[in-house]
Structure formats: C-alpha cells, structure tokens
Amino acid sequence: LAADLAARTLSLDKLSGAIDVAHPRLPMKHVALPLRGALRVGSASAEGQLSTRVDDSAAALKFSVARYSPLALHFDLDIDRLDLDRYLPPHPANAERATNPVDLSALKDSAVDGTVRVGKLRVAGIEASNLRLQVKTANGRLDVGGLDGLNGK
C-alpha cells in the first residue's frame, strides 16, 4: 500500500484476494475466483487491472474510471476460454423459459464503454470462438453490439 498525500492517490501494486460464490443451484455448489492485480485510486479517478484463473479459464480485466459521479468507466476484459455450462444449473428440457427484466436504472447517468473478448465460449451446449463484443452505456441506454469473429458450432 502506498499513499501520496500531495497527489491524493492510493496505490495497491500487489493486490490479491478471492471472490467466493456459493449457491445450492450451482452444479458444484461453490466457485472460488482467486484475484491478483493492481489498483490506483485518486480523488477523481481510478485505474487498475485484475486477473483470475478458475478451472481451465483465465481472465484479465483492465479498467479506468475517469470520474466517479456520474460514473465514466472504460474497460477491456479478455477471457481465454469459458464453459458457462459448467457453472449454470441444468435447465429442464420441457420447462418454459421465463424472461425477467433486468433493472439497469443504476446506469442511467453513467458512461461505460468497453470490450469483452472470449477465445472459446460454451453456453447451453453451443460453442463459439474468437468473440469480440462492444459494450456501451450513454443517456440511460445500454448498447451491446459489434459482435465480431463468431465461429460457432
């Protein structure tokens, strides 16, 4: 931990920890995500990077916050491979799929933009590779697009 009182910054150059997720509907009941990274926080902005590895997946996140309120965030998330079927509860074949609205009101005044890249993805038995997705919020609207490199099976 390093603090620069004149610059009003706080730096964590070797951040480590874990996020534990437990739920009875998860196939394995518990998932632990070890985190490593660095963080620099100032009075008006922040930046950092985090990485994790779980099972055979590795992910790296880089982000910068240009302002806290309203939030202005830029991020890049890279995941080498992700098998979501391993972590999602099984869905009965004859069950109806319910659509539940997602409340994004917290993003109303935010400006978020970033890129998500996934080398190999498996979800609901469908496989895809070399995905690149653009995410952006502005004026109370969430746009997800720019899906590039879709090579599915």
Side-chain angles (χ1 to χ4, degrees), residues 43-113:
S43 60
S45 63
E47 64 185 13
Q49 62 268 346
L50 293 171
S51 63
T52 189
R53 183 159 198 85
V54 62
D55 297 327
D56 58 352
S57 299
L61 171 68
K62 291 182 182 178
F63 66 91
S64 61
V65 177
R67 72 175 178 271
Y68 299 120
S69 183
L71 179 64
L73 168 71
H74 175 78
F75 71 90
D76 286 302
L77 175 61
D78 288 299
I79 304 170
D80 63 351
R81 67 180 66 82
L82 182 58
D83 183 353
L84 288 176
D85 289 347
R86 182 181 288 176
Y87 305 105
L88 297 175
H91 187 64
N94 60 354
E96 289 187 32
R97 296 201 182 246
T99 29
N100 298 319
V102 177
D103 181 6
L104 299 174
S105 60
L107 299 176
K108 182 179 179 220
D109 295 324
S110 69
V112 176
D113 75 284

Side-chain angles (χ1 to χ4, degrees), residues 86-140:
R86 182 181 288 176
Y87 305 105
L88 297 175
H91 187 64
N94 60 354
E96 289 187 32
R97 296 201 182 246
T99 29
N100 298 319
V102 177
D103 181 6
L104 299 174
S105 60
L107 299 176
K108 182 179 179 220
D109 295 324
S110 69
V112 176
D113 75 284
T115 304
V116 178
R117 285 178 286 281
V118 181
K120 292 183 180 180
L121 175 67
R122 179 180 173 91
V123 62
I126 299 170
E127 296 180 8
S129 60
N130 300 319
L131 298 172
R132 184 172 183 264
L133 190 65
Q134 297 296 128
V135 178
K136 184 173 186 166
T137 67
N139 302 317

Side-chain angles (χ1 to χ4, degrees), residues 15-21 30-37 50-55 57-60:
L15 177 67
S16 67
I19 296 174
D20 289 324
V21 179
H30 177 261
V31 177
L33 299 165
L35 294 176
R36 298 219 181 282
L50 293 171
S51 63
T52 189
R53 183 159 198 85
V54 62
D55 297 327
S57 299

